[in-house]
Amino acid sequence: MAKNLKLKAARAKNDMSQQQLADAVNVTRQTISAIERGDYNPTINLCREICKEFDLTLNDLFWEE
């Protein structure tokens, strides 16, 4: 699985730490870190919650090019 640099970039753009995002979507910081590293494939529900936080679509954050 590839690294999710789009998620990391969205967090940086919104000046949000992994912990802040994790708290916002009710997961651990380690989960956000694993998603960004490409070590964890999140559920569709978690993907949707993350997208809502950044006002982005699933395609914006999770579609591989």
Side-chain angles (χ1 to χ4, degrees), residues 14-41:
N14 287 276
D15 196 30
M16 185 178 269
S17 69
Q18 287 181 341
Q19 186 63 59
Q20 289 169 318
L21 177 57
D23 291 344
V25 297
N26 296 310
V27 296
T28 64
R29 184 203 56 79
Q30 290 85 351
T31 299
I32 299 300
S33 177
I35 294 168
E36 289 183 358
R37 286 193 321 267
D39 293 339
Y40 178 71
N41 191 14

Side-chain angles (χ1 to χ4, degrees), residues 31-62:
T31 299
I32 299 300
S33 177
I35 294 168
E36 289 183 358
R37 286 193 321 267
D39 293 339
Y40 178 71
N41 191 14
T43 65
I44 190 69
N45 289 333
L46 178 53
C47 291
R48 289 176 63 211
E49 289 300 313
I50 292 170
C51 288
K52 283 182 197 175
E53 271 307 302
F54 298 121
D55 195 29
L56 296 170
T57 68
L58 289 168
N59 285 345
D60 292 334
L61 286 182
F62 296 101

